[in-house]
Amino acid sequence: MTSMRGWGPAGVVTGLTGLAVSQLVAALLSVREGPFVAVVESIITLVPGPVASWAIDFLGSRGKPVLVVLMTLSMLVLFSVAGWLWPRVRWASTLIWVSLSAVGLAAVVARNGTGRTETLPIGVGLVVWLLAMTVLSWVAGRAKPSETGSGATAGPSRRGFAVAVGVVAALGLGSGVGARLTSGRKAAIKESRRLLRIPGVTARKSPARARIGVPGVQPWRTRNDDFYQVHTALVIPAIEPAQWRLRIHGMVEREIVLTYDDLIARGLTEAWMTLSCVSNEVGGQLVGNAWWSGVLTSELLAEARPMRGADAVLQTSEDGWTCSTPLSAMTDDRNSMFAVAMNGQPLPLEHGFPVRTVVPGLYGYTSACKWLVDVEVTRFADVEAYWTERGWAEQAPVRLTSRIDVPRPDDEVEAGVLTVGGSAWRQNTGIEAVEVALDGGAWRRARVAQVNTADTWVQWAAAFDVEPGPHVVRVRAIDRDGEVQTGVVRDVLPDGATGWHAVEFTAV
Ligand SMILES: Nc1nc2c(c(=O)[nH]1)N[C@H]1C(S)=C(S)[C@@H](COP(=O)(O)O)O[C@H]1N2
Ligand SMILES: [Mo]
């Protein structure tokens, strides 16, 4: 028989602990706001105008603190009710815990989106609540009053219950402190990044001649906030530039260890470069173009003097991810760099702060190591990298690719003259021409905007006269080596998708 006493306070302790663990997970995952703040801010945005202005008149600047206090109090009440109900009406208690999580989830999703990093803290919080309640009732029910001889009030089960509640409280306290320290550390690194002025870093707008000027075609320069992200790390590495070190070793005559300042002191090179992901499907969005600033990998590797026989560079990130890059791609005359800035800003944390590699012409998974800390010159025969262990190709130059941005699939357009547009890329080789075909007709040359590098995408456009009815438009590119983009359809695995992007639309 489960003792009925002490469950209200136990509910409060459990509630706060679940909340603290949830905040800790949110802090570790760098979610902008934990669940509590998300709920408060959601309430603020949801409050009807008249109520809000009344609150502002009546409470003035105390409005927010008052809201926080009110919310805390109602939460504490709900926690204790949920606790009290647990041994009595289990489903009603469960319903409260689940509803509280649902409110938190709704608020977080409304404010931050639906990614795993946004929703995971809420799920973890709910699990902690239900698990703690279950453990507590197990402890409370373990020793029956008749066995202890002294009734339910003073027997071992009561003590056990109190101890168990204490353990839950300690977990909560630890998580609370952990959440504070974590978000403090993250905040400190974000502040270091904000204050960082890197000599030699400049900002650029996209050159006018690179823009085709067709509405709906994605911007030639991708803003940092819009740049696609791919990484295996759940918790994004937080590295202070002052603590960062890069070790270049392996098959080299001279091993090098660099600090951040040592790296910058080498002098920066800047260039436009389009980065793309091998997992990008035909017509997909896992591609972006930025103005990068960094130190040429060829210069640093020349200092280290690779030995004869080496053909690969194993790059490792702070979180243990690896990629193996052809040594030749990091030592030839292309703009392969250890990048420190993106679009004139220090790298965003998500894009590899403080240092990441970019190599024109290679897919990210074989070259673009973020949070880079270790560079080992080696042989392909001697190493396996993260994705090559998992069935992806050892070497993967970017495939000749083109994409239609307008019209979009299933668009309804006006019959008459229609301008079709998009982008095409094959970094390190460059795009010579783009061809477009309407309804399976002859390929026609598109207009291509100018870029003075082989390492970026180009924008293209073409005008067609379309009759009312359903249509399909296809695109293919021709690179500067004269290769014509193949129409053979291949999946992204193991070394990148092929096939022509086709968009179906209707003219009315
Ligand atoms: N440390 C680390 N670096 C990484 C990855 C990763 O998972 N971990 N993913 C790679 C892949 S697959 C790609 S496509 C690019 C994406 O870079 P971005 O997120 O800056 O766009 O980073 C590469 N660098
Ligand atoms: Mo990728």
Side-chain angles (χ1 to χ4, degrees):
M1 195 194 86
T2 301
S3 167
M4 296 289 172
R5 300 191 47 187
W7 276 94
V12 171
V13 168
T14 299
L16 290 174
T17 294
L19 196 63
V21 173
S22 184
Q23 297 281 2
L24 173 61
V25 174
L28 282 173
L29 300 182
S30 289
V31 178
R32 193 174 71 81
E33 320 165 306
F36 186 86
V37 175
V39 171
V40 174
E41 295 202 333
S42 294
I43 292 176
I44 293 173
T45 50
L46 284 177
V47 167
V51 179
S53 36
W54 172 83
I56 291 167
D57 286 347
F58 191 70
L59 300 166
S61 60
R62 290 184 303 273
K64 270 182 204 161
V66 167
L67 184 60
V68 169
V69 169
L70 282 180
M71 206 179 99
T72 308
L73 287 179
S74 35
M75 236 173 41
L76 292 178
V77 170
L78 283 170
F79 287 163
S80 70
V81 172
W84 186 85
L85 280 172
W86 184 265
R88 296 172 172 85
V89 196
R90 175 81 37 111
W91 66 264
S93 171
T94 308
L95 188 66
I96 295 182
W97 295 120
V98 172
S99 309
L100 281 168
S101 305
V103 170
L105 186 66
V108 166
V109 166
R111 304 198 59 77
N112 296 318
T114 52
R116 59 179 176 173
T117 51
E118 285 79 11
T119 53
L120 191 71
I122 307 285
V124 171
L126 179 61
V127 168
V128 168
W129 281 342
L130 297 180
L131 212 64
M133 288 274 99
T134 305
V135 169
L136 288 179
S137 52
W138 178 76
V139 170
R142 208 167 41 129
K144 293 187 176 128
S146 56
E147 287 168 5
T148 68
S150 52
T153 40
S157 86
R158 294 306 306 157
R159 251 193 325 262
F161 187 72
V163 169
V165 172
V167 169
V168 174
L171 174 70
L173 219 61
S175 304
V177 171
R180 257 298 157 86
L181 292 178
T182 307
S183 47
R185 189 173 134 73
K186 280 270 156 68
I189 286 160
K190 284 188 180 151
E191 187 63 5
S192 305
R193 174 179 177 272
R194 199 179 66 78
L195 297 175
L196 204 58
R197 293 286 172 273
I198 311 170
V201 170
T202 66
R204 285 285 166 92
K205 291 198 183 121
S206 45
R209 54 175 160 51
R211 297 193 294 251
I212 199 80
V214 173
V217 172
Q218 291 214 356
W220 187 78
R221 185 190 81 135
T222 314
R223 286 161 15 99
N224 289 353
D225 286 345
D226 298 335
F227 209 98
Y228 80 96
Q229 292 179 23
V230 176
H231 44 253
T232 56
L234 186 58
V235 177
I236 288 174
I239 309 169
E240 273 291 354
Q243 253 117 54
W244 177 87
R245 296 287 181 279
L246 178 65
R247 182 163 166 245
I248 302 178
H249 63 110
M251 295 174 69
V252 294
E253 307 278 348
R254 191 169 148 250
E255 187 173 321
I256 305 178
V257 178
L258 290 152
T259 65
Y260 189 76
D261 290 340
D262 293 339
L263 180 72
I264 303 295
R266 298 299 195 281
L268 300 188
T269 295
E270 299 192 292
W272 291 107
M273 198 207 84
T274 297
L275 179 63
S276 53
C277 181
V278 69
S279 298
N280 193 42
E281 311 270 354
V282 170
Q285 301 293 322
L286 297 178
V287 53
N289 184 45
W291 174 251
W292 302 90
S293 319
V295 175
L296 287 176
T297 59
S298 55
E299 281 180 16
L300 275 180
L301 285 167
E303 273 183 47
R305 295 202 300 274
M307 292 175 186
R308 192 188 292 275
D311 63 359
V313 175
L314 185 71
Q315 307 187 63
T316 307
S317 69
E318 204 254 4
D319 65 310
W321 184 86
T322 53
C323 64
S324 52
T325 314
L327 177 63
S328 58
M330 294 179 78
T331 49
D332 66 17
D333 60 0
R334 75 184 87 186
N335 281 330
S336 163
M337 56 173 89
F338 297 122
V340 293
M342 182 177 179
N343 287 323
Q345 299 288 324
L347 291 176
L349 264 55
E350 299 77 13
H351 291 289
F353 184 78
V355 180
R356 67 100 47 98
T357 311
V358 284
V359 182
L362 303 182
Y363 284 124
Y365 85 101
T366 60
S367 63
C369 191
K370 307 196 267 189
W371 313 292
L372 178 74
V373 292
D374 192 280
V375 165
E376 181 189 352
V377 177
T378 178
R379 282 188 297 232
F380 275 114
D382 296 340
V383 292
E384 275 227 294
Y386 186 90
W387 285 115
T388 39
E389 270 170 17
R390 288 160 176 79
W392 295 79
E394 192 170 73
Q395 299 203 30
V398 172
R399 290 184 181 278
L400 178 53
T401 310
S402 55
R403 186 181 75 194
I404 300 164
D405 288 346
V406 275
R408 284 175 309 177
D410 304 323
D411 264 1
E412 270 198 3
V413 303
E414 270 180 47
V417 177
L418 172 73
T419 303
V420 177
S423 333
W425 60 91
R426 181 174 228 176
Q427 301 92 307
N428 196 43
T429 305
I431 298 295
E432 180 66 35
V434 174
E435 295 184 331
V436 201
L438 185 68
D439 301 329
W443 290 104
R444 282 181 32 197
R445 285 278 156 122
R447 190 158 60 85
V448 176
Q450 266 183 46
V451 296
N452 57 4
T453 160
D455 296 339
T456 68
W457 59 12
V458 299
Q459 297 190 331
W460 59 266
F464 288 97
D465 213 356
V466 292
E467 318 237 294
H471 297 281
V472 55
V473 60
R474 288 193 176 75
V475 66
R476 70 178 187 189
I478 298 159
D479 72 15
R480 290 188 187 162
D481 288 344
E483 184 179 326
V484 180
Q485 186 184 338
T486 175
V488 175
V489 175
R490 262 189 243 123
D491 185 32
V492 294
L493 193 75
D495 55 3
T498 62
W500 297 324
H501 189 208
V503 169
E504 294 180 21
F505 63 97
T506 310
V508 289

